[in-house]
Amino acid sequence: MSSKIEELKKLYEQALLGGGKEAIDAQHSRGKLTARERVELLVDSESFLELDIFVRHRTTEFGMDKRWVWGDAVVTGLARIGGRRAVVIAQDFTFMGGSLGEMHAAKIVKAMQTAISQGIPIVFLNDSGGARIQEGVDSLRGYGDIFYMNVMASGIVPQIAAIMGPCAGGAVYSPALMDFVVMVKKTSFMFITGPRVVRAAIGEVVDEQQLGGPEVHAAKSGQADFIVEDDKEAIAVIKKLLSYLPSNNMEDPPVVRTGDLPDRDIPELDGVVPEDPNAAYDMYKIVDSVLDVGSFLEVKTQWARNAITGFGRLDGRSVCIIANQPNYLAGVLDIDSSDKIAEHVRFCDAFNIPIVTFVDVPGYMPGTKQEHGGIIRHGAKVLYAYSEATVPKLTIIVRKAYGGAYIAMGSKHLGADFVAAWPTAEIAVMGPEGAAEIIWRRELEAVKDPQERAKLLAKFTEEYRSKFANPYVAASRGYVDSVIQPRNTRRVLTKALEILSTKREVRIWVPPKKHGLTPI
Ligand code: HXC
């Protein structure tokens, strides 16, 4: 008996070494932690229940019968993260570059199945050279199985991917199918085809980081939700993100009391909107001061900066934040910001997180670039996402809310439960200057002197502004539930949120359908 136990201990020792000491040193010299070190940092102490540590690949081709490790280059298991259960998957680059073969994939799929059946989040730490070349089509099948599970898990349990090394070729589609992607600076990249193929195919010379490094995905493609300095920070972000989320779509998000007073007045908000209606200001000031102190976690900080998306807490309750940013492109809705907003609304709706929207939007972005790029289709996603969402929807109209963009940004007409406007709100079909030029075109054309004409336009603009560009017309119809002093915004929102916390799914009756067809 004791010899068997000794043997088992030895096997564990071997397994824990992954690809061996040399490969571990090489991993460290690249500035990366090993799969096991990452898991240890991520999970609560002693909580990890590893699965399939003795799985091995079964390929004999290309001398693979002599080349194997216990666990087949991926660590999988169940654990607690911040007290909550989760499934953890960590690819081990120290054996064959963490490449994915049949059994490596089977372990991942099994872990994902467990997450779905248990209703617990999936955290997938990617660090892999992609499909294990020696295992050929079995590797491809493995990817197919993982993608399928990603789709099955979608909307049931939160899925978070961290890219902590290479992630290339079709492998990128697992993180792409997940809800959030964290990328580590310098050591990670994601692309469909690497620099060598790019050069051969189209003659473009580019390196890995320029092609698919974290900075590129954070600012240009919008693929990365968070970029971080190193592995440790990646783990910290994952833990923080999870703290806002429920474990599955049947649960409410956790309540984390911060001690911040729910009815705290914020006097400085009374002066945040500039006198000049066309002057920019920083929406972060409003978002940060209304939420529980220090609770704002922004998602996609660098991409489509005319929209702000993230999570926060109001009196401890998780909320989803959507806002226009007047400081960047005047907060206009364009292709990218529409995608950013629609995606976040859909995630929050799927996971029962109430949506709080701060509106200051001059409209949809004009011009051929946007029209030809499909602003109609992309803009429609925002309408679809808000209309479809059944979680409590609370909207604060801070300043501009014009035209189709007014409707899109969490308006009453798309099912908002509570809409409040600041006295600075301008809710109208279009901005006063443009509207005055259309309504009083004849009168303006009759005046030939340009200076006189400008004066007249200013007068008409003012007339339009006082008649239409205010919150009271909308309030008189009940499209706005309340016009509030900015300083009371937090108090009003926490109260409304509390009342709406028992909201049940309410929709107008529609015949049963398989699923709607969201514009994509
Ligand atoms: C088998 C692989 C491998 C792979 C890396 N290795 N990728 N083995 N299959 N896909 C092995 C290497 O041979 C090496 O083995 C060890 O992992 C470490 O790799 P290095 O090259 O020494 O490390 P590094 O210099 O850091 O470069 C890492 C790398 C590079 C960028 C990932 O190895 C690379 O370009 N690999 C090929 C990537 C690729 O083309 N994958 C297929 C993508 S297509 P030794 O024995 O020296 O330790 C794909 C299709 C999926 O994934 C389709 C899904 C639908």
Side-chain angles (χ1 to χ4, degrees), residues 400-411:
K400 296 174 187 172
Y402 287 137
Y406 151 67
I407 307 281
M409 290 300 299
S411 70

Side-chain angles (χ1 to χ4, degrees), residues 319-320 322 345 348-349 353-357 386 389 391-395:
V319 287
C320 165
I322 307 276
V345 166
C348 291
D349 182 50
I353 307 172
I355 298 164
V356 177
T357 306
Y386 270 108
V391 285
K393 294 183 277 195
L394 302 91
T395 301

Side-chain angles (χ1 to χ4, degrees), residues 428-441 444 457 460-461 464-465 468:
V429 172
M430 61 197 298
E433 289 83 1
E437 286 200 38
I438 292 172
I439 302 175
W440 289 288
R441 183 171 61 87
L444 288 165
L457 177 60
F460 288 148
T461 302
Y464 179 91
R465 190 186 300 283
F468 296 107

Side-chain angles (χ1 to χ4, degrees), residues 30 67 93 96-97 99 129-134 140 143 147 166 168 170:
R30 290 183 179 102
R67 207 173 171 205
F93 191 82
M96 294 189 77
S99 54
R132 186 174 295 157
I133 296 160
Q134 293 86 339
L140 298 185
Y143 273 114
F147 301 160

